[in-house]
């Protein structure tokens, strides 16, 4: 397996590469991750079962789109492929460092610039992709509230229903979430899609984002998720607001946007996230 990966790196970079150091790294709950080095070049490798190749292909495409907008740093995609039984994705290796307060401010600024400059005529993505290990539908749509209610909330509720977990009538909950976005006017921005603190870092004071679940959507979905598992430092939000201020009633929309991620965690992990889904739904219903 490692010989195949080394050969893929050599072919992609047009340089010889022999693994002289291999160290397992942290990389979330889904993939095995490794730091590879020949003491000259360093790479970050994600591994999973062979059928996971489509996940890696989607991630590589999303990283290429973030890279193309030239507003915020993300890892370079070196190569991807399969061995006899594994799929792999090779990225540039970035040794993250502890941030200073100004670094968070710059992250807010750069994310805002990405949202402002990387736009599209419709909501969606060039293909379906993944949020964690869950398929994320991305059929193009001109109406944001319909897109989010149907392809985010209803989709997750249906997946839960197929696990015999029922939070209520799917059509009713979907309509409530649709109506919560009724008077919100937004344009399709390139969003990271899974922007929590574990998917961002800093190197030489330069903000870096990774592990995306990109699509063109309301920029507020990224801001909302940064608050889901505990807020980022205030400097981040100050940097964003100074560059691309949020509009009125964001706090209410945030409940709907984060409902999607809580539902996804309920689908992936069950347990406490099912109860959190019910609690979040009660908050949303209380808006009406």
């Amino acid at each position: 397996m490692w010989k195949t990966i080394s050969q893929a790196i050599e072919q992609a970079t047009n340089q010889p590469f022999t693994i002289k150091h291999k160290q397992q790294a942290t990389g979330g709950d889904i993939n095995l991750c490794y730091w590879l080095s020949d003491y000259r070049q360093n790479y970050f490798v994600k591994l999973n079962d062979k059928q996971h190749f489509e996940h890696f292909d989607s991630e590589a495409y999303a990283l290429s789109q973030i890279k193309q907008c030239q507003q915020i740093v993300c890892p370079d995609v070196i190569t991807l492929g399969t061995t006899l039984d594994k799929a792999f994705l090779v990225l540039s290796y970035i040794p993250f460092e502890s941030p200073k307060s100004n670094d968070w401010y710059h992250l807010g600024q750069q994310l805002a610039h990405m949202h402002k400059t990387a736009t599209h005529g419709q909501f969606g993505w060039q293909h379906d992709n993944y949020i964690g290990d869950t398929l994320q539908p991305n059929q193009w749509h001109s109406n944001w509230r319909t897109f989010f209610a149907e392809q985010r909330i209803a989709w997750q509720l249906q997946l839960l229903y197929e696990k015999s977990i029922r939070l209520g009538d799917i059509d009713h909950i979907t309509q409530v979430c649709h109506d919560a976005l009724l008077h919100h006017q937004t344009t399709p921005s390139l969003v990271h899609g899974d922007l929590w603190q574990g998917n961002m870092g800093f190197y030489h004071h330069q903000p870096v984002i990774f592990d995306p679940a990109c699509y063109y959507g309301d920029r507020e979905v990224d801001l909302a998720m940064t608050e889901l598992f505990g807020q980022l430092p205030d400097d981040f939000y100050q940097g964003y607001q100074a560059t691309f201020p949020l509009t009125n009633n964001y706090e209410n929309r945030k409940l709907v946007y984060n409902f999607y991620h809580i539902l996804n965690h309920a689908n992936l992990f069950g347990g406490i996230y099912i109860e959190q889904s019910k609690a979040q739904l009660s908050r949303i219903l209380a808006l009406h």
Side-chain angles (χ1 to χ4, degrees), residues 265-282:
H265 276 67
N267 269 302
L268 290 172
F269 308 115
I272 190 174
Y273 294 110
I274 298 172
E275 299 307 312
Q276 287 189 12
S277 296
K278 294 176 181 176
Q280 189 80 347
L281 176 58
S282 294

Side-chain angles (χ1 to χ4, degrees), residues 112-128:
H113 282 302
M114 183 181 87
H115 288 162
K116 186 183 289 189
T117 59
T119 59
H120 197 276
Q122 289 189 301
F123 301 98
W125 197 234
Q126 285 81 350
H127 51 256
D128 295 345

